[in-house]
Amino acid sequence: MNSTDNTPTLARLPTLAHGPDWTWRNRFRALGCEYHTELQPQPMHESHWIAHSDACAALLGLPAEWQMDPRWNALEVFSGNALWPGMQPLASVYSGHQFGVWAGQLGDGRALWLGEIDTTSGPMELQLKGSGLTPYSRMGDGRAVLRSSIREFLCSEAMHGLGIPTTHALCITGSSLPVRREALETAAVVTRVAPSFIRFGHFEHFSQHDEPDSLKRLADFVIEHHYPECLNTPQPYIAMLGTVARRTAELLAQWQAVGFCHGVMNTDNMSILGLTLDYGPFGFLDSYDPGHVCNHTDHKGRYAFSRQPSVAFWNLHALAQALMPLIGNSHAALDAIDIYKPFYADAMRRQLRNKLGFTTTEAGDAGLIDWLLKQMAYEKTDHTILFRRLSRFSSAEGTDNSEVLGLFKDRKFIETWSKAYGDRLRSEGSNDAQRAAAMNRVNPSVVLRNHLAEAAIRQAQGGDFSEVQRLLKVLQNPFDESIDGTDDADFPPDWAQEIEVSCSS
Ligand code: AMP
Ligand code: MG
């Protein structure tokens, strides 16, 4: 059994008479009590709406103005004060490696799974984050502060807008409930949505606790519901591991291509579905710095931007290790995850080729791209702005593209690289207008830079939530040309340098 001494004893919450017309499935709950503890959220009184995502609501089939429907009282439900019929809350147990070290049992210390519903995009699970103590809270208070909740909410929807696999966020509610971090802050709850919240750490838990039957049932569950194609292979567990490796490779290439730094790539934050999961001290690159560490508590830089792809492989290794009781043969397990490397390399090449607007592959491409990235790192060029501007590059022979490449100071570089890039584009008969349109579909005009989130957070802490909602709309359409030239797409202000993001959330 997974219950521990600090199991909160909580009064039962009211179940409201009406909720949305959802079909509940709750398959993870049916998996059995060794995977979770059923419990109720802890109420967060005097709650109020902070923000909601219409895109996520549409995914769940909710009607417009769902949050205002008096029959449903969604504010109470998504603050953890009431349940809708069909919700069966529980906290799941997992373990994991944190900063490369085995950390033992972790689990949903402040998240509660509410249930799983059918949607037109397949079954989706709903989860509250910050809804109070669970048996897995350890020394924590089970709460999340408004600041980190806004960051998670905005970034989930921003990643979705960028086309990067991620958990979604439906809404944030806030309250005056005080929460102590470095300073006294207030509590908030984010409602997250995903096909599954199962992590590498769920497998590590049952493996390390020497519970092979539970490990097997978890793997069978994931295969049956999420990777059914693996069932028709001679070795379904090896096939599952390979599929996770491929999805993780694809995800990492997408992170690297937009300059996303996760900040805490512990194995308990790695999704078995290859989704971006658990937004904490993340950051998007402003200037291109491969050594950038976005989490100020990561003193050794384990999760530095350029290390993310190899950390993901390390994490896959931990998953392979966890699955050994099912796979038996360590060579087969290692072979299964080894495909991560060529897959990642391929995916990254594809991402970079698209970022530069190439439609063909040529021998010198890697060198040309590498040359550009090295200069960007040397001159600390703004990552997002440089790639967005590059779509305006003219491939006509003899054109002076120094305005497009004006972010660089090194004239010699501008001249020589421009010439090489122009030659490369002409060699594939690139059409400037078509290329610009294609590049603007992969190089965003806006990403959730720290200063954008910070401005929304500061206003929200003062009681004005309009900037959160405005920024959300911008981030949901990050390729929209109407954003070009606005403050959202501009360089970070000087004060952005002083923003420190830590694990404290
Ligand atoms: P994270 O670094 O946010 O992914 O969290 C690592 C572990 O600590 C997970 O088991 C979380 O559920 C737990 N945790 C983080 N913050 C809190 C908190 N305020 N209260 C309880 N558990 C927490
Ligand atoms: Mg986590």
Side-chain angles (χ1 to χ4, degrees):
M1 245 340 252
N2 52 56
S3 327
T4 53
D5 288 336
N6 66 340
T7 305
T9 48
L10 298 171
R12 286 204 81 73
L13 291 182
T15 297
L16 302 175
H18 300 283
D21 187 18
W22 280 335
T23 305
W24 294 86
R25 296 161 70 95
N26 298 359
R27 296 172 300 181
F28 184 71
R29 177 176 175 274
L31 193 54
C33 64
E34 62 269 46
Y35 302 93
H36 43 69
T37 301
E38 292 189 32
L39 83 165
Q40 309 264 299
Q42 277 183 312
M44 185 175 77
H45 295 301
E46 293 172 25
S47 55
H48 52 259
W49 288 114
I50 305 282
H52 58 274
S53 161
D54 290 338
C56 187
L59 174 77
L60 299 177
L62 288 168
E65 304 298 319
W66 59 275
Q67 77 281 10
M68 307 308 278
D69 192 320
R71 288 169 313 155
W72 293 353
N73 216 339
L75 174 61
E76 293 301 299
V77 172
F78 294 119
S79 303
N81 300 331
L83 298 171
W84 279 332
M87 287 180 167
Q88 297 177 310
L90 55 87
S92 78
V93 65
Y94 55 82
S95 295
H97 284 85
Q98 297 188 316
F99 291 87
V101 177
W102 177 244
Q105 180 176 303
L106 302 164
D108 294 326
R110 53 176 169 172
L112 269 195
W113 186 95
L114 294 176
E116 181 194 28
I117 58 164
D118 268 337
T119 77
T120 49
S121 307
M124 290 286 163
E125 298 179 354
L126 281 83
Q127 195 191 62
L128 300 181
K129 180 168 177 180
S131 52
L133 290 171
T134 80
Y136 316 113
S137 299
R138 300 177 294 150
M139 307 299 283
D141 55 10
R143 293 296 179 188
V145 296
L146 178 62
R147 162 180 55 86
S148 66
S149 305
I150 289 174
R151 283 171 51 86
E152 170 136 24
F153 173 77
L154 287 177
C155 202
S156 310
E157 294 304 277
M159 292 295 258
H160 182 61
L162 289 166
I164 300 178
T166 178
T167 58
H168 288 266
L170 175 65
C171 56
I172 321 179
T173 63
S175 90
S176 54
L177 182 74
V179 178
R180 162 117 355 241
R181 295 294 180 260
E182 282 91 352
L184 207 56
E185 303 188 45
T186 57
V189 173
V190 182
T191 300
R192 306 196 290 192
V193 174
S196 171
F197 289 92
I198 295 177
R199 301 147 192 267
F200 290 10
H202 281 97
F203 291 91
E204 290 180 280
H205 180 79
F206 294 102
S207 191
Q208 289 271 351
H209 287 79
D210 204 13
E211 295 177 40
D213 294 343
S214 303
L215 179 71
K216 181 176 181 310
R217 278 196 292 126
L218 183 65
D220 291 342
F221 178 88
V222 168
I223 291 173
E224 181 186 346
H225 299 307
H226 302 290
Y227 295 132
E229 67 281 6
C230 296
L231 275 174
N232 304 322
T233 63
Q235 311 229 39
Y237 304 123
I238 295 178
M240 177 182 86
L241 190 56
T243 306
V244 178
R246 282 196 297 277
R247 284 210 189 183
T248 307
E250 196 63 53
L251 178 71
L252 265 289
Q254 287 182 276
W255 284 4
Q256 300 305 109
V258 294
F260 175 77
C261 209
H262 181 283
V264 206
M265 285 179 68
N266 294 333
T267 57
D268 54 297
N269 291 337
M270 296 292 292
S271 153
I272 202 71
L273 299 187
L275 309 173
T276 315
L277 173 64
D278 279 9
Y279 293 89
F282 68 84
F284 284 86
L285 296 182
D286 289 322
S287 59
Y288 181 68
D289 173 8
H292 179 68
V293 179
C294 60
N295 175 359
H296 279 253
T297 34
D298 180 7
H299 302 299
K300 292 189 178 157
R302 178 180 171 84
Y303 298 139
F305 177 69
S306 64
R307 290 195 176 153
Q308 296 189 122
S310 55
V311 169
F313 185 67
W314 192 96
N315 290 341
L316 283 164
H317 204 275
L319 178 65
Q321 184 75 39
L323 291 174
M324 277 311 293
L326 307 183
I327 294 175
N329 176 341
S330 61
H331 292 297
L334 290 176
D335 283 351
I337 59 167
D338 253 351
I339 58 161
Y340 172 86
K341 292 175 194 164
F343 250 83
Y344 171 75
D346 257 16
M348 199 62 228
R349 266 195 295 274
R350 199 175 351 105
Q351 291 287 340
L352 287 168
R353 205 175 60 212
N354 292 341
K355 285 182 89 64
L356 269 84
F358 300 157
T359 55
T360 59
T361 307
E362 290 185 19
D365 289 354
L368 193 64
I369 291 168
D370 204 43
W371 184 11
L372 176 69
L373 291 174
K374 281 214 172 76
Q375 190 68 20
M376 287 172 68
Y378 181 67
E379 293 206 29
K380 303 218 177 329
T381 314
D382 191 280
H383 184 260
T384 306
I385 295 178
L386 187 274
F387 280 109
R388 186 70 178 185
R389 280 197 193 170
L390 211 52
S391 69
R392 304 209 305 262
F393 188 95
S394 165
S395 64
E397 192 140 27
T399 312
D400 177 11
N401 277 296
S402 50
E403 189 265 318
V404 175
L405 292 168
L407 291 185
F408 294 106
K409 291 186 197 71
D410 184 338
R411 295 292 318 166
K412 183 93 189 121
F413 167 78
I414 296 177
E415 266 170 40
T416 49
W417 192 83
S418 259
K419 166 138 192 2
Y421 183 46
D423 288 348
R424 166 65 181 84
L425 291 173
R426 282 190 300 279
S427 78
E428 70 162 58
S430 188
N431 171 304
D432 282 357
Q434 282 171 8
R435 187 184 70 254
M439 287 172 79
N440 282 347
R441 285 194 295 271
V442 294
N443 294 319
S445 181
V446 63
V447 291
L448 182 56
R449 298 177 192 255
N450 272 341
H451 76 276
L452 294 175
E454 192 63 22
I457 289 166
R458 286 182 193 174
Q459 279 198 24
Q461 286 171 332
D464 176 0
F465 312 126
S466 57
E467 179 60 11
V468 180
Q469 204 67 48
R470 185 201 71 81
L471 190 54
L472 170 72
K473 290 228 149 48
V474 173
L475 293 166
Q476 283 175 328
N477 298 292
F479 302 106
D480 203 307
E481 290 180 14
S482 66
I483 306 168
D484 293 332
T486 66
D487 287 353
D488 296 319
D490 208 347
F491 295 97
D494 289 342
W495 61 265
Q497 304 275 346
E498 269 117 60
I499 302 171
E500 290 203 348
V501 186
S502 72
C503 275
S504 132
S505 59

